[in-house]
């Protein structure tokens, strides 16, 4: 039987050369070999993030980097505005509330776009020191207006934390040009590596806010400890070495392809998938406005009333393709197909055939 094709929004299928990298013997994590590997990984990630800011790799999934971002920046009285139009935007609100008593959520219906005027009105009123948003809202398949919100954050003198967990590696995300103070990515998404690592970039302005007493910050994800250790080519605690080996190889794959081609491939595959889905009579889930777009890394599709979600996805699975259901309040209402990482036309065609077959019953 051929391997099941994972078309869920992470973990994505991992190329054999990346998987094989994990079987290397362990190395001393305070030695020269690790230092060289860590520096190589960080240099490649800075190139992908388009940043000159400091950048670290954390041994933890995307949520670890979300908490590192907020936990290090925010104190109990820090004014935080969290923009949310899906599950992951709301997760930033939840993390924000663990660290600050002054969080304002700007909520939009899941699947609705972010309205700039509403965000602006809240910024006028609350004068936040930190603003958070998810770039690519994986739960609803929408791309949010990161550049416009970064501009607003600057205007109101707030730091901008952007969750790029499912955008970096599949989109151009010019962190410095846009002025993103903290950007984060997860290994198991568009980078095409296994799950378990995340990366975080930190601007000068963000460091300024982090310095000084903060007895409320996380210990394991203490970014100042990461900065100090980086000077020695190390991480503060034992890194997940096999995952570092895999990430290095995944980044090599990205360098070989080139970012422009990679972004174009993500666009083309998502486009192919969206056309096929609508040609089959199905509708895309998100409602767009002039500053949002359908995601090129995950496509969210409405489950038509005449169809049962579990039955549909079960039918695809019988045909060897695993796709994701809706999360939280969208369970049973939408299903999601990822086009992330190193997948090609072949996998997308196989997915479309499985969807056609499942729809026929
Ligand atoms: C936009 C976004 N943010 C955060 C996360 C959480 O990442 P993880 O599951 O790696 O902790 C995800 C995971 O799907 C995501 O898509």
């Amino acid at each position: 039987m051929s391997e099941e094709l994972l078309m869920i929004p992470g973990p994505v299928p991992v190329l054999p050369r990346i998987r094989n990298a994990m079987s290397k013997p362990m190395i001393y994590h305070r030695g020269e070999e690790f230092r060289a590997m860590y520096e190589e990984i960080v240099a490649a990630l800075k190139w992908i993030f388009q940043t000159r800011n400091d950048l670290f790799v954390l041994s933890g999934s995307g949520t670890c980097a979300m908490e590192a971002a907020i936990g290090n920046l925010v104190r109990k009285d820090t004014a935080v505005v969290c923009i949310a139009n899906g599950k992951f935007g709301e997760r930033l609100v939840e993390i924000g509330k663990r660290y600050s008593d002054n969080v304002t959520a700007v909520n939009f219906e899941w699947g609705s776009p972010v309205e700039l005027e509403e965000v602006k009105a809240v910024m006028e009123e609350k004068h936040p020191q930190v603003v958070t948003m998810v770039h690519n809202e994986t739960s609803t398949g929408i791309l949010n207006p990161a550049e416009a919100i970064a501009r607003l954050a600057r205007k109101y003198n707030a730091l901008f934390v952007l969750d790029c967990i499912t955008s970096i590696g599949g989109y151009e995300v010019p962190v410095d040009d846009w002025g993103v103070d903290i950007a984060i990515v997860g290994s198991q998404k568009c980078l095409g590596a296994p799950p378990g690592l995340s990366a975080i970039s930190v601007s000068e302005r963000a460091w300024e806010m982090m310095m000084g007493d903060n007895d409320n910050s996380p210990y394991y994800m203490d970014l100042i400890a990461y900065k100090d250790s980086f000077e020695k080519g190390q991480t503060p605690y034992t890194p997940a070495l096999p995952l570092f080996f895999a990430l290095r190889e995944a980044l090599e794959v990205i360098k070989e392809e080139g970012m422009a081609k990679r972004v174009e491939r993500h666009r083309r595959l998502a486009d192919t998938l969206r056309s096929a889905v609508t040609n089959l009579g199905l509708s895309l889930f998100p409602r767009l406005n002039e500053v949002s777009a359908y995601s090129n890394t995950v496509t969210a599709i409405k489950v038509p009333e005449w169809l049962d979600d579990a039955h549909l996805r079960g039918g695809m699975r019988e045909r060897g393709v695993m796709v994701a259901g809706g999360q939280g309040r969208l369970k049973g209402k939408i299903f999601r197909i990822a086009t992330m990482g190193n997948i090609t036309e072949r996998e997308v065609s196989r997915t479309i055939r499985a969807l056609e077959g499942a729809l026929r019953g």
Side-chain angles (χ1 to χ4, degrees):
M1 203 184 102
S2 69
E3 218 176 90
E4 184 170 62
L5 174 59
L6 262 191
M7 294 296 276
I8 61 173
V12 299
V14 175
L15 293 176
R17 64 181 267 198
I18 299 172
R19 283 201 316 249
N20 291 341
M22 286 189 284
S23 61
K24 246 177 68 69
M26 293 307 104
I27 58 172
Y28 177 43
H29 63 294
R30 308 260 177 242
E32 266 315 304
E33 197 179 341
F34 181 78
R35 172 205 280 270
M37 173 171 70
Y38 192 23
E39 285 178 0
E40 187 184 328
I41 288 174
V42 166
L45 284 169
K46 283 186 176 186
W47 166 70
I48 294 169
F49 277 53
Q50 302 181 41
T51 189
R52 298 162 85 97
N53 290 337
D54 288 327
L55 186 148
F56 313 108
V57 177
L58 311 179
S59 292
S61 73
T63 308
C64 172
M66 292 166 101
E67 183 156 8
I70 292 174
N72 282 276
L73 272 185
V74 167
R75 286 152 172 82
K76 273 288 169 201
D77 59 352
T78 305
V80 186
V81 161
C82 300
I83 302 164
N85 60 345
K87 180 185 164 78
F88 296 105
E90 289 186 4
R91 184 171 297 178
L92 287 168
V93 177
E94 285 169 20
I95 299 172
K97 286 183 174 170
R98 287 276 171 112
Y99 289 90
S100 166
D101 294 330
N102 188 4
V103 174
T104 306
V106 191
N107 286 311
F108 300 93
E109 202 45 55
W110 288 23
S112 293
V114 169
E115 301 290 350
L116 294 183
E117 283 308 313
E118 270 181 59
V119 176
K120 213 162 141 183
V122 174
M123 306 267 272
E124 283 284 349
E125 188 194 331
K126 299 287 176 183
H127 301 289
Q129 293 154 279
V130 175
V131 174
T132 72
M133 190 175 73
V134 174
H135 187 199
N136 186 76
E137 182 46 83
T138 322
S139 63
T140 67
I142 198 168
L143 188 75
N144 285 327
E147 189 177 6
I149 297 295
R151 218 176 298 126
L152 265 185
R154 280 280 144 147
K155 185 169 163 205
Y156 290 92
N157 206 23
L159 295 186
F160 185 37
V161 173
L162 186 62
D163 171 339
C164 306
I165 285 174
T166 52
S167 62
I168 285 181
Y171 278 100
E172 299 285 359
V173 182
V175 165
D176 289 358
D177 277 2
W178 288 354
V180 180
D181 293 289
I182 296 197
I184 59 179
V185 74
S187 56
Q188 79 277 29
K189 315 282 189 183
C190 303
L191 299 179
L197 296 180
S198 50
I200 182 163
S201 71
V202 183
S203 74
E204 226 13 85
R205 290 193 333 147
W207 283 128
E208 279 164 26
M209 190 161 183
M210 280 180 214
M211 294 302 169
D213 284 345
N214 184 4
D215 54 12
N216 194 35
S217 67
Y219 185 90
Y220 190 63
M221 288 98 85
D222 180 346
L223 291 175
I224 295 172
Y226 268 87
K227 188 176 168 65
D228 291 343
S229 294
F230 189 76
E231 316 270 308
K232 296 179 274 178
Q234 297 175 11
T235 53
Y237 319 110
T238 313
L241 286 170
L243 298 176
F244 274 68
F245 297 148
L247 179 61
R248 173 172 57 184
E249 193 63 23
L251 294 171
E252 207 44 52
V253 170
I254 297 178
K255 285 190 243 170
E256 286 167 19
E257 183 176 24
M259 268 310 287
K261 277 199 182 147
R262 192 173 181 85
V263 168
E264 172 52 23
R265 176 171 55 75
H266 278 81
R267 192 203 58 73
R268 196 175 62 242
L269 295 179
D271 221 35
T272 304
L273 180 62
R274 285 191 293 259
S275 301
V277 161
T278 47
N279 286 339
L280 286 168
L282 300 174
S283 308
L284 301 173
F285 173 64
R287 181 173 67 75
L288 303 182
N289 63 4
E290 65 291 349
V291 293
S292 56
Y294 291 122
S295 166
N296 287 342
T297 67
V298 58
T299 296
I301 304 153
K302 286 182 194 161
V303 177
E305 264 166 32
W306 48 271
L307 209 67
D308 175 66
D309 164 57
H311 190 75
L312 175 70
R313 287 188 295 121
M316 291 185 75
R317 200 154 186 204
E318 277 166 21
R319 291 163 177 82
V321 181
M322 173 96 162
V323 298
Q327 295 165 290
R329 67 186 82 143
L330 293 176
K331 204 170 165 47
K333 300 206 167 95
I334 65 167
F335 65 104
R336 296 170 303 141
I337 305 178
T339 42
M340 282 180 195
N342 295 313
I343 61 154
T344 65
E345 267 84 8
R346 202 174 43 238
E347 285 83 23
V348 172
S349 302
R350 195 173 145 198
T351 305
I352 294 168
R353 281 199 305 280
L355 177 58
E356 281 167 352
L359 284 172
R360 272 199 307 271

